[in-house]
Amino acid sequence: MQLLLWFSSGLLMSILPIERVRGEHLVARESGETLAPAQQLVSPAAVLRAAPGPVRELRYTSLLGRPVAELTMADGTARMHDARSGSPMARIDALLAVKVALAAYRGAGAPARSATLVQTASTEFRGKLPVWRVQFKDAETTRVFVSPANGKIVGVRTGTWRLYDFFWGLHIMDWKNHEDFNTPWMVAFAAGGLILAVAGVVLLYMRWPRRRRRKVEG
């Protein structure tokens, strides 16, 4: 039965285009916005002076047309500062999360009007929490996950993704979280499958017709 699940799930995952699974045909994760050369941006030194602690990385980018300085702190957390004044910006709220999702959406579903703050991990989203979830009313039941720290789209979930994830959980035998590739069940069945394959090769060699004929002739 498990061999049947392995082959059927592997076949389905190989048939589905990974771009469709990721929802790239519905949501453009990268906004493609650029900073105009004529914009007067504050110096990196000014942004660093306003930072609350050590900074690992500083980059200038744009959020819905607004130039921002995105900081990655030493502890891995993200913060945003206004790129024109250097002052810290508030975290992304529900209204802004919806605007980010709408700007990236390429589908034909009904526009999203609200966002839900997700604070509990699930099989649908296993990234850094909390995160805003914006849902569209389309055929794929598309859900866009937006980081409240920097407004980045950190996940896109569609009906195709959910189908793929279900069979992925069956494939790796992690039926609860769909992410652990080293479960005892997986190791045991993989070892059993290897033993079965080796035994089959040995039996095939022992039962090969030409070998039997040689024994009879001798």
Side-chain angles (χ1 to χ4, degrees):
M1 187 64 184
Q2 185 56 40
L3 289 174
L4 176 62
L5 289 176
W6 277 341
F7 285 118
S8 59
S9 59
L11 176 62
L12 181 132
M13 290 188 294
S14 64
I15 290 175
L16 291 176
I18 193 62
E19 295 80 10
R20 188 173 185 85
V21 173
R22 293 173 180 167
E24 294 180 6
H25 62 299
L26 293 174
V27 179
R29 297 185 185 227
E30 298 295 333
S31 64
E33 295 183 12
T34 58
L35 295 173
Q39 292 189 68
Q40 297 296 323
L41 304 180
V42 69
S43 67
V47 178
L48 293 176
R49 283 196 297 269
V55 176
R56 181 189 305 169
E57 182 183 0
L58 166 62
R59 61 192 298 264
Y60 290 92
T61 183
S62 180
L63 178 63
L64 297 178
R66 178 181 181 181
V68 299
E70 183 181 334
L71 280 66
T72 302
M73 309 304 291
D75 60 359
T77 58
R79 296 177 60 89
M80 288 189 304
H81 287 231
D82 189 292
R84 288 170 291 201
S85 66
S87 58
M89 293 172 54
R91 289 169 67 85
I92 303 298
D93 59 13
L95 180 60
L96 193 53
V98 171
K99 290 182 178 180
V100 170
L102 284 172
Y105 187 64
R106 300 291 182 267
R113 302 193 179 278
S114 63
T116 304
L117 188 64
V118 178
Q119 304 187 64
T120 305
S122 66
T123 56
E124 187 172 59
F125 185 82
R126 296 181 284 268
K128 186 176 294 185
L129 298 172
V131 66
W132 290 110
R133 182 183 65 208
V134 182
Q135 182 167 324
F136 291 85
K137 294 181 179 179
D138 57 8
E140 289 268 11
T141 317
T142 304
R143 293 178 178 177
V144 179
F145 293 84
V146 180
S147 169
N150 56 15
K152 299 292 185 183
I153 295 178
V154 293
V156 177
R157 303 294 181 255
T158 64
T160 304
W161 182 92
R162 296 180 192 98
L163 177 66
Y164 185 98
D165 187 64
F166 172 75
F167 278 96
W168 170 251
L170 295 179
H171 195 77
I172 65 173
M173 303 186 72
D174 182 6
W175 304 289
K176 182 179 180 181
N177 299 317
H178 302 183
E179 61 179 351
D180 189 359
F181 199 80
N182 303 107
T183 60
W185 284 108
M186 181 66 179
V187 175
F189 273 85
L194 178 61
I195 294 172
L196 182 65
V198 172
V201 172
V202 173
L203 289 173
L204 179 63
Y205 174 77
M206 295 178 63
R207 302 288 294 179
W208 196 253
R210 293 175 61 182
R211 179 180 174 85
R212 294 175 60 189
R213 283 200 299 269
R214 288 176 182 175
K215 287 185 176 181
V216 172
E217 292 172 359

